[in-house]
Amino acid sequence: MSLDLPRIIDTIHREKGIPKDLLIDAIQTAILNAARKFFNDSEGLSITIDPQTLKIDATRGGERVDPAVFGRIAAQTAKQIMIQKFREAERDTLFEEFESQKGDLLTGTVQRFEGGAVLVNLGKTDAILPRPEQIPGEALHPGDRIRAVVHEVKKQGQRVKIILSRTHPDFVRKLFELEIPEIADNTIQIRALAREAGYRTKVAVASVDPKVDAVGACVGVRGSRIKTITDELGGERIDIVRWNDSLQVLIPNALAPAEIDEVMLCGLLGRAIVLVRDDQLSLAIGRRGQNVRLASKLVGWDIEIMTAEELDEVIDRAIQMFTQIEGVDAELAQNLVEQGILSYDDLSVMEIDDLVATIEGLDHERAIRIVEAAEELAEQQSEESPRRKGGRGSTSGRNAVSQVQAHSSSVVSAVAVETGSVASDATDDEAAPQQASVDATAMERESVASETSPSQENELEVSEANEEDHDSVRFNDDPPPAPVATTGADAAAAVAADAPSTLPQSAPESGGEVRDMNQP
């Protein structure tokens, strides 16, 4: 038995990748259990295996015992225990290996389909690509070579379950690192990324070396580099935009190619009101709200788009509503509006300490009474009108219906993508943001809510025509993708009465009028 042990251990070590010390421990445990079963007694039993010579030393009561005398039944017991131990050791080894590769890009071969999931062979083991992790609309066939990132690794009995993903934002990030050398060597950094798999992705990049154009390097000569990535993504449109540390520039860049007149930041609520002209509304919002939704995720702020006229109306209504609360005069109402609080819902979710610290002359007890009154009024409005149409161009798009929040709900805010955000327009004008767009789909008419008037529909058609003429890199003329459902955080920010929630503080460097709402 000892003569075959080195060969057995070496073979299993090479084929399964299990460390030799784990194999020796497993064999030692198996022989010890076999000896206990044979002698029906565990006292005085000792089994050791020399790690160098792999010689088995068995003793009982101080006397040496030949393992060969344990018998056939004991040998079968030892074999079963060894098989179990080997499987556990193999599982642990696989788990540690793939757990360390979480988020990495792997290449595998499609084996077969199980329900909606795809079984992918990775060489050492098989992994699962569930239907939700597959790019919408892609067609996979047995034998296809595909790339995916390791999304989740977990132990399941004596096996390891490896879940892959092609919809995770890290999949696009890893493809950029693979196809663009400047990103791989960290000359260019991906500072933020927002994705709706199968439809559109926004990637914010910044260059460490001022001599290297981040956007141009990612696009490549005539779009050669970015086209390789879009082909892997099945024609998904990618917007490459330039990173900027100023939110005044980030938000307009993220909404490119729309022209932004003014950006007003509401720090207490984490929102930004973006003012645009009527002919830029549909362009800023995007088809089914996709452009503003991805921009919101990219910059990490909830974005609401409206015209200057609409903002003036919202402010007037907000002041009227606040003065109806006991203890709120016109001056206090004006101060609340200047901080971007434009509805009962906004006021009901405010922290008392933040209000007292921000609003001059407001004490703690008075702030509590005002917030409690706002909560009651917000509840009344929610009961009277549970579904209200939101402001034009809220985070989830012009067609989303705003849902009035209960007093205990938190403010709906855009989910930031890890580090922050940005956008850019790929033009030769240095003052304008640069953007390189890879459009995998033909332009289609934006859906308009039932309240949209014929004149607004004409306005949308003109805006979409402008978007079509925008200078960008586009590939593929495949039919447009199916509409993207808008739910949860993608829905427009909740509003109370007629007033959307948000308000301003400053304007973009690249062109709009600067309006300071804190000035009288």
Side-chain angles (χ1 to χ4, degrees), residues 435-478:
Q435 172 178 358
S437 299
V438 180
D439 196 351
T441 61
M443 297 297 296
E444 66 172 337
R445 180 184 180 85
E446 174 187 354
S447 301
V448 182
S450 58
E451 293 85 357
T452 305
S453 66
S455 62
Q456 289 172 329
E457 292 178 359
N458 294 334
E459 170 190 307
L460 291 176
E461 291 176 356
V462 173
S463 298
E464 289 173 355
N466 292 338
E467 181 179 7
E468 193 70 44
D469 293 335
H470 181 72
D471 181 19
S472 59
V473 181
R474 300 173 190 249
F475 302 95
N476 241 322
D477 290 322
D478 295 338

Side-chain angles (χ1 to χ4, degrees), residues 189-390:
Q189 298 176 344
I190 296 178
R191 302 297 293 271
L193 192 151
R195 184 186 186 201
E196 289 186 3
Y199 305 102
R200 191 171 182 178
T201 294
K202 287 182 180 285
V203 183
V205 295
S207 177
V208 176
D209 186 349
K211 297 180 180 179
V212 178
D213 177 23
V215 175
C218 291
V219 174
V221 180
R222 297 183 180 179
S224 57
R225 288 180 172 179
I226 199 64
K227 188 176 187 306
T228 303
I229 298 175
T230 57
D231 288 345
E232 178 67 33
L233 298 175
E236 182 176 317
R237 176 176 175 175
I238 299 178
D239 298 341
I240 303 176
V241 295
R242 195 180 304 280
W243 169 268
N244 194 293
D245 290 325
S246 171
L247 277 174
Q248 306 285 322
V249 179
L250 288 184
I251 293 175
N253 287 357
L255 291 170
E259 296 179 5
I260 306 303
D261 289 343
E262 187 176 355
V263 175
M264 297 176 285
L265 305 178
C266 311
L268 288 178
L269 296 172
R271 292 183 189 164
I273 291 181
V274 176
L275 300 184
V276 298
R277 299 189 305 273
D278 284 337
D279 62 350
Q280 294 294 309
L281 268 176
S282 63
L283 198 60
I285 296 166
R287 295 190 297 275
R288 300 168 185 84
Q290 194 176 74
N291 191 50
V292 66
R293 188 165 56 248
L294 286 174
S296 182
K297 292 178 181 179
L298 197 71
V299 304
W301 282 58
D302 194 26
I303 297 176
E304 187 166 348
I305 300 176
M306 60 178 69
T307 63
E309 294 77 10
E310 289 173 329
L311 178 62
D312 291 339
E313 293 175 4
V314 166
I315 291 175
D316 291 341
R317 284 197 298 267
I319 293 176
Q320 257 185 359
M321 287 191 302
F322 291 154
T323 53
Q324 295 176 9
I325 300 176
E326 184 179 353
V328 178
D329 54 21
E331 182 181 356
L332 178 55
Q334 182 67 37
N335 290 338
L336 291 172
V337 168
E338 287 175 357
Q339 297 302 321
I341 304 171
L342 300 177
S343 70
Y344 291 141
D345 282 314
D346 290 346
L347 188 54
S348 68
V349 298
M350 290 300 303
E351 294 291 338
I352 303 297
D353 292 339
D354 291 341
L355 277 178
V356 173
T358 306
I359 307 299
E360 186 177 353
L362 184 64
D363 58 55
H364 196 271
E365 293 182 0
R366 188 181 176 193
I368 292 176
R369 291 196 302 269
I370 292 173
V371 169
E372 288 177 349
E375 288 177 357
E376 294 177 2
L377 291 170
E379 286 180 353
Q380 291 177 11
Q381 288 181 341
S382 179
E383 293 172 358
E384 293 170 2
S385 181
R387 293 175 64 91
R388 295 172 182 264
K389 181 171 174 59

